Amino acid sequence: MIRIALVLACAAFGASAADLRVSSDQSVGGFKFPESVAYDAKEKVLYVGNFGGEKLDPASKDGQGYLSKVSLAGKILTERAFPRADGPKMNKPKGIWIRGDRLWVTDIDTVWIFDLRTKKQNRLILPGVGFANDPAVMGNVLYVSDNRNDKLVKIEPADFLNAKAPKVTEVLSGKGVNPNGIYPSRTGMLYMAGFAGPNNPRALYALGVSGQLKQLTDPFGGLDGLYELKDGSLLFTNWYTGSLSHWSETGGIKELAKGFKGPADFCVVTASDGNMTVVVPDLPQSQIRFIHLRSR
């Protein structure tokens, strides 16, 4: 177990690339192939998506997936917090997004929505999606990436907990992006991190409000988790280098933490002093790492 003595908020970090350094780095086990971590700011807890099972098989519809509720000290509070035991089974939960009392999580060809307080749940099958990876909410729209099929879809309304017929629309397809991690920019763009497997590197991209696609970097990795900092720069994870890294338009790419076997969808918890903790799941190692970043 690790201890994090922070006053926490969900605000973004404002340091520049040159200012960031790792002050401590600690790992916690006890998970079953965790692919994603998200932060519930209201209750000040984490939710970790576990594939479950005894082998790493991200496309298996085996009904063994679940979300764990975890303290900010890394202790598992509720091993199987979602989905409810009396409802449909979850398979391989991947990206998680939390806004207010709602939690969204992708699961192969579906996306789930949960009310964190009442435990009410719903799930939506996504036509044409075969490897739903990361969700992100922008306004009243939920975006979902499908990296294996090289597409991005949107669901309206984003909060479909009580909706009878949410609308699913294809936004992007066949552009060679293979979007994995996605994150909404403060300027209205949608950032995307590409992942197409070994020996097939992808880049960082931005999808504009009118649908124009901009490539931000040369192809260089198998990119997974993504987060925008206050200055518009990005944190991301890279399977090729086993790292958590930082990118800015002026400073390029800077590795911050290494040694991951499979760094996936992370979350950021920011302290009142501007320092932050990045909580990164290491999928193959069944661990999550708490990486504390400070400005110099």
Side-chain angles (χ1 to χ4, degrees):
M1 181 185 298
I2 63 173
R3 304 287 180 183
I4 306 176
L6 297 174
V7 180
L8 299 159
C10 258
F13 193 59
S16 68
D19 291 331
L20 292 174
R21 66 178 179 85
V22 176
S23 60
S24 66
D25 182 346
Q26 298 148 306
S27 298
V28 177
F31 302 95
K32 281 281 191 176
F33 303 117
E35 203 280 343
S36 55
V37 183
Y39 176 52
D40 175 9
K42 281 192 175 183
E43 199 173 344
K44 294 182 172 59
V45 295
L46 304 169
Y47 283 91
V48 178
N50 297 268
F51 284 0
E54 299 304 320
K55 64 178 182 178
L56 181 55
D57 190 354
S60 175
K61 293 187 176 182
D62 58 8
Q64 297 192 64
Y66 58 93
L67 305 185
S68 296
K69 186 177 181 180
V70 178
S71 77
L72 289 167
K75 179 181 178 181
I76 297 175
L77 303 173
T78 306
E79 184 177 27
R80 295 177 179 268
F82 296 103
R84 295 198 315 263
D86 61 350
K89 301 294 185 182
M90 183 177 285
N91 295 306
K92 301 300 177 186
K94 296 183 178 68
I96 302 172
W97 188 270
I98 294 175
R99 186 173 74 176
D101 292 335
R102 298 289 191 262
L103 180 152
W104 295 262
V105 58
T106 54
D107 181 12
I108 303 179
D109 56 3
T110 66
V111 60
W112 298 71
I113 185 171
F114 299 96
D115 187 301
L116 291 170
R117 317 309 160 198
T118 68
K119 309 304 180 183
K120 185 175 182 179
Q121 64 185 42
N122 195 7
R123 65 174 183 168
L124 176 67
I125 296 174
L126 301 172
V129 171
F131 203 73
N133 208 301
D134 202 25
V137 175
M138 189 186 308
N140 195 35
V141 178
L142 169 67
Y143 291 89
V144 172
S145 64
D146 179 352
N147 71 294
R148 289 192 180 181
N149 291 296
D150 192 18
K151 66 173 59 179
L152 177 77
V153 300
K154 65 179 181 179
I155 296 96
E156 300 169 282
D159 187 351
F160 61 88
L161 186 65
N162 301 304
K164 292 184 178 179
K167 181 181 179 183
V168 182
T169 307
E170 191 173 277
V171 177
L172 186 77
S173 182
K175 299 296 184 180
V177 173
N178 298 97
N180 190 328
I182 55 177
Y183 202 89
S185 164
R186 290 168 181 77
T187 62
M189 297 186 299
L190 186 73
Y191 288 118
M192 299 181 290
F195 189 114
N199 305 313
N200 195 6
R202 289 293 183 264
L204 292 169
Y205 308 85
L207 185 67
V209 292
S210 59
Q212 70 274 24
L213 181 64
K214 180 180 180 181
Q215 185 171 313
L216 303 176
T217 67
D218 291 331
F220 68 96
L223 313 181
D224 201 323
L226 192 60
Y227 181 87
E228 183 192 32
L229 300 177
K230 189 176 181 180
D231 63 358
S233 62
L234 300 174
L235 293 177
F236 65 91
T237 50
N238 185 352
W239 282 61
Y240 283 17
T241 57
S243 66
L244 169 71
S245 299
H246 178 277
W247 171 85
S248 68
E249 191 170 1
T250 55
I253 296 169
K254 173 187 175 183
E255 288 188 352
L256 298 173
K258 303 178 182 180
F260 293 94
K261 297 295 184 183
D265 290 306
F266 60 89
C267 74
V268 175
V269 182
T270 306
S272 59
D273 61 1
N275 296 317
M276 65 181 176
T277 300
V278 186
V279 189
V280 186
D282 195 330
L283 176 59
Q285 297 205 101
S286 289
Q287 296 179 341
I288 56 175
R289 279 172 63 178
F290 291 75
I291 299 168
H292 307 281
L293 296 180
R294 293 184 177 275
S295 57
R296 295 187 189 277

